Amino acid sequence: MPTITLHALAPSHPCMTADAALRLKGLEFERVDFPPGPHIEQMAEIYGEGNTTVPGMTIDDERVHTSRAILARLEELEPDPTLFPEDRADAVREAEKWGDEQLQDLGRRMPWGALHFRPEAMGTFGGAGPLDGPGTDFAIKLIRGTWKYHGLSAELLANDLKGLPAKLDHIDQLAADGVIGTEEATAADLQIGATIRVLMVVEDLLPLIEGRPGEKIARRWFPDYTGSVPAGAFPAGWVPQR
Ligand SMILES: N[C@@H](CCC(=O)N[C@@H](CS)C(=O)NCC(=O)O)C(=O)O
């Protein structure tokens, strides 16, 4: 068997997608979690200039960058169990692409966005309780830096929240069509499920997500994820009613 290494950032949802795919396929691999910040240089060194996001995967000397490329390559390397069932491979690929291009960003913007309003909650992401005063000062600085890095703004957040119900409806439709949410995990389940799992740490969003196929898929393939931003973080009226 080749030597496989997954390069990741600890809380990253596309890394959860790649990690889950490796496990489902029963492939032995080493996971290396880079520290956030220095990861930029470390990823570029391995995957080439400009390829600074996680996940990346090396298979011996081969380098594969981004979650979708990783899942496609894993499917070639170990076709069983398949992540692209033959009877709906194109639909799964399309849903996976949608999950990456239309949904994945929300998994970065919603938690970091909500944390701006409840910075003490950052302590829960490390599995501890809310932060004390000095810890919250540190969190405020870090969250500001992250907003800048990801180009976050209140306007963007408010628009993301407005658009969320339509995205959740799309996931319902994919499940109703049998593309996702079946017995076996597809690439689309892993891509979409990981993002929904991360959104579920923002308690304001739970009423929109709970009891729907996205929640079921997220909990099934990603049972554990720590962190909780208490309800009421987003300004009143920003979160759409279900
Ligand atoms: N769509 C790509 C992008 C992944 C992505 O943006 N990952 C984030 C973590 S969730 C990241 O690397 N952020 C750090 C950075 O942009 O430097 C994929 O699925 O691989």
Side-chain angles (χ1 to χ4, degrees), residues 56-77:
M57 174 181 75
T58 56
I59 308 175
D60 292 332
D61 291 337
E62 182 185 345
R63 283 147 174 66
V64 189
H65 184 242
T66 77
S67 59
R68 266 156 69 201
I70 290 171
L71 265 57
R73 184 66 186 93
L74 290 177
E75 185 76 3
E76 288 171 358
L77 194 66

Side-chain angles (χ1 to χ4, degrees), residues 23-237:
R23 284 173 201 283
L24 281 164
K25 289 192 174 284
L27 291 164
E28 242 177 72
F29 69 102
E30 184 192 1
R31 176 170 169 148
V32 175
D33 283 315
F34 288 137
H39 78 277
I40 297 176
E41 213 168 290
Q42 286 160 320
M43 286 298 288
E45 212 167 277
I46 302 168
Y47 295 96
E49 212 188 313
N51 295 330
T52 58
T53 57
V54 292
M57 174 181 75
T58 56
I59 308 175
D60 292 332
D61 291 337
E62 182 185 345
R63 283 147 174 66
V64 189
H65 184 242
T66 77
S67 59
R68 266 156 69 201
I70 290 171
L71 265 57
R73 184 66 186 93
L74 290 177
E75 185 76 3
E76 288 171 358
L77 194 66
E78 177 50 74
D80 191 40
T82 181
L83 295 172
F84 301 90
E86 224 176 312
D87 61 338
R88 57 194 148 107
D90 286 345
V92 166
R93 244 175 245 112
E94 199 183 313
E96 182 199 27
K97 184 172 186 284
W98 176 85
D100 180 9
E101 294 178 356
Q102 306 293 325
L103 189 70
Q104 198 191 77
D105 266 345
L106 296 189
R108 289 174 275 277
R109 298 205 289 253
M110 290 286 115
W112 285 112
L115 277 169
H116 168 83
F117 302 98
R118 292 300 299 262
E120 83 289 356
M122 220 180 99
T124 66
F125 285 75
L131 298 170
D132 60 8
T136 303
D137 276 332
F138 175 79
I140 288 170
K141 271 194 214 127
L142 192 85
I143 294 160
R144 267 198 203 129
T146 306
W147 269 53
K148 202 167 167 200
Y149 187 71
H150 287 304
L152 256 164
S153 65
E155 185 183 3
L156 188 57
L157 268 189
N159 281 334
D160 280 345
L161 285 165
K162 250 187 230 152
L164 185 56
K167 294 189 194 254
L168 295 171
D169 287 348
H170 184 65
I171 296 171
D172 286 353
Q173 191 58 54
L174 288 169
D177 293 343
V179 178
I180 59 172
T182 57
E183 208 30 54
E184 66 281 358
T186 68
D189 287 89
L190 299 183
Q191 183 68 243
I192 292 169
T195 299
I196 297 295
R197 187 69 190 89
V198 169
L199 295 187
M200 286 165 61
V201 301
V202 181
E203 283 185 17
D204 275 337
L205 304 182
L206 285 179
L208 294 173
I209 294 171
E210 274 174 341
R212 300 175 74 168
E215 183 200 10
K216 204 166 150 212
I217 294 165
R219 288 199 192 278
R220 171 144 191 222
W221 303 114
F222 307 99
D224 306 313
Y225 193 82
T226 52
S228 170
V229 187
F234 288 125

